[in-house]
Each structure stands twice: as C-alpha cells, then as structure tokens.
C-alpha cells in the first residue's frame, strides 16, 4: 500500500469505503433496542472488511484518529436524523486527542445543529487509556461535554485500562463494563462475585450500566440478576451496516429475551427465602420501623416472648411499653439508645446500627437478657429513615450481657 496510513484513510473516506456500523444495545428485560454504538469499518471495493483494530491503534498512536471519529460522528448524526421519532441514542468512540481539544463541545454542537437533532441522542465514549491529558483536564472536559447536554460513557471498564479512581472522579453517566468480566461464561463464583460488585458500585454511583460482549444465554441469565440497564453483544446483534440497523430500529419486533426473573425462579428465590429463614430463625422478634413517621410493625414474634406489644402502632408508644418492661437499672441504657430522638440522632451521626442488651420482663414477670440490634436504612426517594430491629434472648451466654452504652459493632 502506498502513502501513509492517514493518506489511505483519507482516500478511503473519499471513496466511501469508510463506513459506520452500528451495534444495538438492548434492554435485557423488554428485548427492545435502547441505544447503539457506532463502530468504524473499512469496506474495501472487493467487499473485504478491515476491522478497526488494524488501523485505529496506529492512528491513535500518531494523534491522527480524530478525522475518523468526526467522520463517524457525522454518520451517526445523519442516522439519528433519518430515524426521526424512531431515533435512539448512538454513542461514538473518541480517542486520545479529543480530551485536549478545547473546541470539542463547539464541534459537537455544530454537528448536531447542522442535522437538527436532539443532543441527548448523541453519546460520547472515552476509555481511560485513551486519555492523554492530565486528570483534572479530563474531569473538566467531561464536565463540559455533560453540561452541554451529551452523555459521556466510560468505556472498557475493568479491562485493566480503566481504574476505580477514574470512575470515582470522572463525572460520566454511563459505565460500559468490559467483556473480560464474562470470560468464564459467568460460571465461576469468583467471577460472579466480581461482576456483582461492579454492578453494586455502578448502582450506588447512579451510573447507567451497559455490559459489552454478551454472547451466551448463561451470561445473560447471570447479568439479569445484576439489574443491568443495557446489553451489547453478539447474543442479540453484531455490529451491522446502516441499512440493516435502520430496519432494526424501525421494523423490528422485540427480540425474545426469555427474561430470567430472579424472584420468580426457583434457585434465586430459594436463596432469598433461605436468607430470610436464616434471619427469622436466629431472632425471636423482628420489627420494622419508620423513624421519620414514628410508626412500626412487628414482622415476626415468638409466642414464648409473651409481650403485649401491639402488632403495629406508633414507635413512641411501643417504646413506652418496652421501657415499662425494662429492668430498673437498665432503663437509662435503654433511653440513651432507643428513644426515637436518640435513634434519629445516631443515624444523623452516621451510625449504621445501635446495639444494646438489657434486662426485660415478660408479662408473667420473668426477666430475660434481651439483645436489641437496630439497623438503619434511608429511603432514597422519600428520605425517610427506616430501621429494622432484631431482638433475641441471650440468657444462655452471660458474657454477652453488657448493659452499658455501646454503638455499632
Ligand atoms: P470498543 O469501543 O470496546 O467496541 C466494542 C467492540 O467489541 C467492537 O469491536 C465490537 O464489535 C465488539 N463486540 C461487540 N459485541 C461483542 C461480543 O459479543 N463478543 C465479542 N467478542 N466482541 C464483541 P470492533 O468494532 O472491532 O472495534 C474495536 C475497537 O476499535 C473498539 O472497541 C474501539 O476501541 C475502536 N473503535 C471502533 N470504531 C472506532 C471509532 O470510530 N473511533 C475510535 N476512536 N475508535 C474506534
Ligand atoms: Ca466503545
Ligand atoms: Ca468497549
């Protein structure tokens, strides 16, 4: 081949040999397309396709990849425009040099304006390894792109090129989980725990999740237990040329996802049941309380406990009853820990739990050492503070009787 790679790429562009392929991303529960990634292909006149791995890395190396990226961006904009009200978000890969481009947002804006498309339909993918700028510059760059109305995805998360601190600091909204997590077909316990933890982190950080490289039903079934937002992989579709993609977006019925609902299936439901049974068999009483609204209900109670605490009511009233049954010398301990005010205060302080053991009398006048373990939770929507109390008799082991103030474990 004569000329430099860049010369050949420019020539290929002029001959319409450079094309955008699109790989749809599916909602794994509904089987409908929710987004897509644009991927460059070099289609030679004889029909052979040169994959990006054969020219993108070299262009990146030389700082010449942006010509391809802007070409693909423009193709994506055209496709979005053509799809009209059937349009879905299309994400484009942006290599190394863009994070240093001060006019990046301006160029994106110009392009979406030229095609009169909604900015929210154009996504920007970056990989940590691609970024050559200083971290602070990258953070500022992503902030500007997001602030301008585009969604930024962190690509290849977990590939070894993308670190936890990158995810922590870069204000992107989407995490694309690398296919290397799926290598063992989601069959090993270690692999599954690792993937679960990635999703746990992503959900806690309120990131949208996309898993790449899903090829098998086994992988899909496991990923579905992790509450993933989008699946991108050969199982649903390979990257396809423009016309095929257009048809998929406009005509295609949802694919049959055969959704594996963890709560309906025997195994996972069985696991949840086993966990609940274990909790319920360990504790003699379990109480659920909304501290903010001062209400509780008893979820489980052994009859041998012989209390007259109503099944449900106001926490403050229920507490008065518990206090009236408390051993004289332990009342102070009980009050410091379990009045509604003190519990709310402990929660505000950042305590995860409040645990005490005090002497409690049954209705028959018999005293027992009773452990109260209260765990706090915050409802993300209402902001109410919830508490689950695990209560059990601990007479059998004298050394657990502390009777003094103790916070947490
Ligand atoms: P990427 O951004 O991680 O893109 C996903 C790659 O995974 C694509 O390879 C896609 O075809 C492949 N893939 C998708 N589903 C599966 C699956 O189920 N199994 C397997 N084994 N692979 C799957 P592709 O298209 O060959 O692209 C390779 C890389 O080249 C991309 O990785 C991206 O880093 C780069 N690239 C592609 N197009 C562009 C572009 O326009 N600009 C830039 N800067 N880079 C691009
Ligand atoms: Ca990508
Ligand atoms: Ca990727």
């Amino acid at each position: 081949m004569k000329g430099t790679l860049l010369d050949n790429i420019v020539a290929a562009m002029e001959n319409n040999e450079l094309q955008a392929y699109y790989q749809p991303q599916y909602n794994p529960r509904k089987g409908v397309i929710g987004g897509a990634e644009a991927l460059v292909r070099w289609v030679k006149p004889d029909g052979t396709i040169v994959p990006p791995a054969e020219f993108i890395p070299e262009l990146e190396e030389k700082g010449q990849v942006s010509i391809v990226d802007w070409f693909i961006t423009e193709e994506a904009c055209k496709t979005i425009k053509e799809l009209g009200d059937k349009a879905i978000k299309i994400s484009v890969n942006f290599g190394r040099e863009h994070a240093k481009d001060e006019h990046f947002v301006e160029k994106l804006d110009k392009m979406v304006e030229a095609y009169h498309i909604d900015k929210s339909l154009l996504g920007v993918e970056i990989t940590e390894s691609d970024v050559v700028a200083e971290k602070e510059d990258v953070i500022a760059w992503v902030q500007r792109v997001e602030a301008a109305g585009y969604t930024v995805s962190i690509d290849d998360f977990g590939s070894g090129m993308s670190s936890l601190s990158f995810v922590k600091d870069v204000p992107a909204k989407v995490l694309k989980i690398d296919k290397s997590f799926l290598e063992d077909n989601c069959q090993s316990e270690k692999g599954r725990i690792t993937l679960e933890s990635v999703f746990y982190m992503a959900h806690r950080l309120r990131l949208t999740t996309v898993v790449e490289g899903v090829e098998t039903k086994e992988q899909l079934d496991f990923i579905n237990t992790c509450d993933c937002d989008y699946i991108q992989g050969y199982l649903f579709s390979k990257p396809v040329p423009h016309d095929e993609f257009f048809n998929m977006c406009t005509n295609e019925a949802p694919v049959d996802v055969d959704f594996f609902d963890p709560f309906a299936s025997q195994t996972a439901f069985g696991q949840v049941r086993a966990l609940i049974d274990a909790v319920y068999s360990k504790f003699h009483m379990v109480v659920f309380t909304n501290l903010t609204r001062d209400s509780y209900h008893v979820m489980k109670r052994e009859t041998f406990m012989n209390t007259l605490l109503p099944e449900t009511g106001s926490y403050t009233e229920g507490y008065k009853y518990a206090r009236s049954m408390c051993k004289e010398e332990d009342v102070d301990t009980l009050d410091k820990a379990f009045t509604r005010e003190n519990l709310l205060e402990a929660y505000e302080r950042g305590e995860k739990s409040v645990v005490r053991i005090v002497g409690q009398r049954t209705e028959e006048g018999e005293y027992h050492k009773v452990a109260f373990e209260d765990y706090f939770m915050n409802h993300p929507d209402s902001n109410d503070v919830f508490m689950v109390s695990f209560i059990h008799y601990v007479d059998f082991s004298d050394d657990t009787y502390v009777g003094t103030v103790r916070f947490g474990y």
Side-chain angles (χ1 to χ4, degrees):
M1 200 183 281
K2 288 194 196 114
T4 63
L5 176 62
L6 185 62
D7 293 338
N8 293 326
I9 289 288
V10 172
M13 247 179 233
E14 283 163 1
N15 294 338
N16 297 322
E17 290 173 25
L18 225 55
Q19 291 184 22
Y21 272 42
Y22 301 91
Q23 187 175 29
Q25 296 161 340
Y26 284 82
N27 174 318
R29 287 164 207 85
K30 298 180 184 153
V32 296
I33 301 175
E37 176 174 6
L39 295 154
V40 67
R41 294 288 181 273
W42 184 353
V43 187
K44 293 283 180 69
D46 65 1
T48 53
I49 295 175
V50 186
E54 288 179 27
F55 56 97
I56 291 286
E58 189 181 330
L59 289 175
E60 288 222 338
E61 195 78 1
K62 294 179 172 157
Q64 299 171 334
V65 82
S66 41
I67 184 164
V68 175
D69 296 344
W70 287 116
F71 172 80
I72 296 295
T73 308
E74 182 152 17
E75 293 298 302
C77 289
K78 284 183 199 164
T79 303
I80 292 167
K81 165 108 185 132
E82 257 177 277
L83 281 166
D85 61 2
K86 298 274 189 202
I88 49 162
K89 187 193 304 176
I90 299 181
S91 302
V92 177
N93 293 285
F94 286 94
R96 297 171 167 268
E97 54 247 42
H98 301 279
K100 286 209 156 173
D101 181 357
E102 284 176 16
H103 304 289
F104 183 76
V105 170
E106 233 172 274
K107 291 178 191 165
L108 276 184
D109 282 347
K110 259 194 193 150
M111 216 165 261
V112 301
E113 278 158 24
Y115 290 94
H116 307 286
I117 60 168
D118 191 324
K119 285 175 168 197
S120 65
L121 292 170
L122 194 64
V124 171
E125 294 197 4
I126 54 157
T127 311
E128 185 175 9
S129 65
D130 284 347
V131 174
V132 283
E134 294 295 318
K135 196 166 178 185
E136 281 67 36
D137 295 340
V138 179
I139 294 170
W141 182 82
V142 173
Q143 256 159 3
R144 282 199 302 276
V145 180
E146 286 269 355
Y150 305 94
T151 314
V152 179
S153 307
I154 295 175
D155 202 359
D156 299 339
F157 176 71
S159 67
M161 304 295 181
S162 180
S163 67
L164 279 173
S165 80
F166 192 67
V167 174
K168 173 171 77 69
D169 297 326
V170 171
K173 295 248 166 53
V174 181
L175 193 66
K176 295 195 72 176
I177 298 165
D178 192 67
K179 46 182 168 283
S180 56
F181 284 108
L182 309 180
E183 270 161 10
D184 70 348
N185 204 25
C186 299
Q187 299 304 297
S188 81
E189 190 183 23
K190 272 188 173 176
R192 289 161 76 116
I193 291 169
T194 310
L195 197 51
E196 255 170 29
S197 311
V198 170
F199 278 102
Y200 179 74
M201 177 199 72
H203 293 319
R204 292 291 311 270
L205 294 172
R206 296 185 186 277
L207 296 168
T208 298
T209 48
V210 182
V211 175
E212 298 187 295
V214 180
E215 295 179 354
T216 69
K217 179 78 170 63
E218 287 82 8
Q219 292 166 339
L220 179 68
D221 282 349
F222 181 68
I223 289 163
N224 273 334
T225 69
C226 299
D227 201 16
C228 178
D229 297 306
Y230 296 104
I231 305 275
Q232 182 179 344
Y234 297 167
L235 181 66
F236 286 137
S237 172
K238 292 200 167 187
V240 295
H242 167 277
D243 291 356
E244 197 174 333
F245 177 65
F246 187 85
N247 286 336
M248 288 169 106
C249 293
T250 49
N251 302 323
E252 209 181 57
V255 297
D256 183 8
V257 288
D258 188 13
F259 178 54
F260 170 93
D261 180 347
F263 291 102
S265 89
Q266 274 300 315
T267 48
F269 185 61
Q271 286 168 13
V272 173
R273 276 286 299 276
L275 176 67
I276 291 171
D277 286 351
V279 169
Y280 273 30
S281 63
K282 173 167 163 56
F283 298 102
H284 302 140
M285 190 160 167
V286 180
V287 181
F288 192 82
T289 301
N290 183 329
L291 281 172
T292 308
R293 293 173 202 273
D294 195 15
S295 63
Y296 76 91
H297 75 263
V298 176
M299 299 168 81
K300 177 225 162 129
R301 165 167 36 197
E302 299 281 13
T303 46
F304 69 74
M305 293 189 79
N306 196 6
T307 77
L308 293 179
L309 181 74
E311 284 301 303
T312 182
S314 109
Y315 178 83
T316 307
E317 287 308 307
Y319 179 72
K320 271 188 200 156
Y321 172 79
R323 193 177 191 277
S324 73
M325 306 306 272
C326 188
K327 207 171 197 170
E328 189 76 54
E329 69 222 54
D330 289 340
V331 167
D332 197 30
T333 299
L334 197 79
D335 280 347
K336 279 188 180 138
F338 298 126
T339 63
R340 182 168 161 256
E341 291 71 20
N342 287 344
L343 286 166
L344 282 166
E345 219 184 80
Y347 172 78
E348 292 303 334
R349 260 201 318 274
E351 301 288 347
K352 301 268 182 290
S353 62
V354 174
V355 181
R356 296 291 182 284
I357 297 172
V358 296
Q360 284 282 105
R361 184 162 53 84
T362 65
E363 284 298 324
E364 285 149 346
E366 213 181 276
Y367 275 100
H368 289 277
K369 288 168 203 164
V370 179
F372 292 81
E373 307 185 19
D374 289 0
Y375 292 86
F376 300 120
M377 287 170 293
N378 172 257
H379 193 284
D381 300 322
S382 67
N383 223 20
D384 282 0
V385 181
F386 292 135
M387 179 176 88
V388 182
S389 310
F390 300 106
I391 300 156
H392 58 142
Y393 285 1
V394 289
D395 301 277
F396 45 84
S397 82
D398 266 351
D399 55 0
T400 55
Y401 184 79
V402 282
T404 48
V405 178
R406 188 160 77 89
F407 284 112
Y409 274 117

